Amino acid sequence: RMRERLLEVAEQRTGVKHDVETGEHGQVKSQPKFNHQYILYYLLLEDKVFQEAATNPYLLALQTYMLGMDCRLSSVTSLVKWRDETGYGETLGLHIDSTVKYPISIGHETHTANSAWLLTDYTEDNGAMAFVPGSHQHSRHPASGEGVDGAIPVEAPAGSLLIWHGNLWHGAFPRKNDGLRLVVTYYF
């Protein structure tokens, strides 16, 4: 249901009917601008299916474990990604989600945590997310190119839920296959 509704929203906002298999897609004027994907903002306002996913008991249990009972949902967005051999380039776009200069390293004092509902299968060639295991313990943003050698693809079937610590270095591999990679993220 979420994938179907997301594709409808994408078509409404771009004027182009998207196709998960062929990779047909439109463009939106959003920041930041990428050649391999775009971001759809404010999805929580679009449909009840996005609200239901935000209150999934597994999602809430893991987010409150990392952030405490007073955690707050900050944003619900989608990244629509298509075939592009370059993607983010050699750095894989590795970053952390914490917005503070000196992130807190572990436990319930973490500033942020993120989650993603995978709406298409994730494989390295399909442009899977790249995680650098253990990097959250550095409690800092990676330097340009740092961590790329240790990055692993998060491979999982459509319908999976990913949840990660706000300090985890992450990005994405380029999509080498035809079709679209769809995800809806819930940032706390």
Side-chain angles (χ1 to χ4, degrees):
R1 280 183 25 219
M2 193 174 351
R3 179 170 60 189
E4 288 174 14
R5 186 62 184 115
L6 178 66
L7 290 171
E8 290 171 1
V9 170
E11 182 177 352
Q12 290 168 354
R13 293 191 189 179
T14 67
V16 176
K17 184 170 180 61
H18 289 53
D19 189 300
V20 173
E21 299 300 321
T22 67
E24 182 69 27
H25 65 277
Q27 292 279 3
V28 295
K29 293 180 182 177
S30 64
Q31 295 298 323
K33 177 88 169 111
F34 297 108
N35 293 325
H36 66 287
Q37 70 182 12
Y38 67 76
I39 302 171
L40 294 172
Y41 296 97
Y42 307 111
L43 290 176
L44 197 61
L45 306 174
E46 288 289 349
D47 194 278
K48 188 172 183 170
V49 70
F50 300 113
Q51 297 164 15
E52 291 170 359
T55 59
N56 176 279
Y58 296 103
L59 170 76
L60 293 178
L62 290 166
Q63 290 291 15
T64 56
Y65 172 77
M66 285 192 284
L67 297 170
M69 291 302 291
D70 62 344
C71 71
R72 303 278 192 312
L73 179 63
S74 177
S75 67
V76 179
T77 60
S78 175
L79 287 83
V80 177
K81 183 176 184 175
W82 50 87
R83 183 180 185 138
D84 181 281
E85 296 292 326
T86 305
Y88 289 114
E90 292 178 2
T91 68
L92 303 178
L94 293 179
H95 64 284
I96 65 172
D97 290 329
S98 180
T99 58
V100 296
K101 186 173 182 179
Y102 300 105
I104 298 171
S105 58
I106 59 172
H108 294 292
E109 300 302 318
T110 300
H111 294 288
T112 62
N114 212 335
S115 50
W117 286 103
L118 308 185
L119 304 184
T120 53
D121 292 338
Y122 266 42
T123 65
E124 184 172 353
D125 286 345
N126 282 351
M129 290 186 69
F131 281 179
V132 180
S135 60
H136 65 288
Q137 297 171 357
H138 297 305
S139 299
R140 62 176 173 79
H141 297 268
S144 181
E146 185 178 13
V148 172
D149 291 342
I152 61 168
V154 178
E155 298 190 312
S160 297
L161 173 62
L162 304 180
I163 298 178
W164 64 96
H165 191 287
N167 292 346
L168 183 72
W169 298 357
H170 65 284
F173 291 91
R175 183 171 178 96
K176 297 178 181 178
N177 295 332
D178 290 334
L180 297 176
R181 187 200 79 172
L182 302 175
V183 64
V184 177
T185 61
Y186 289 78
Y187 178 67
F188 287 77

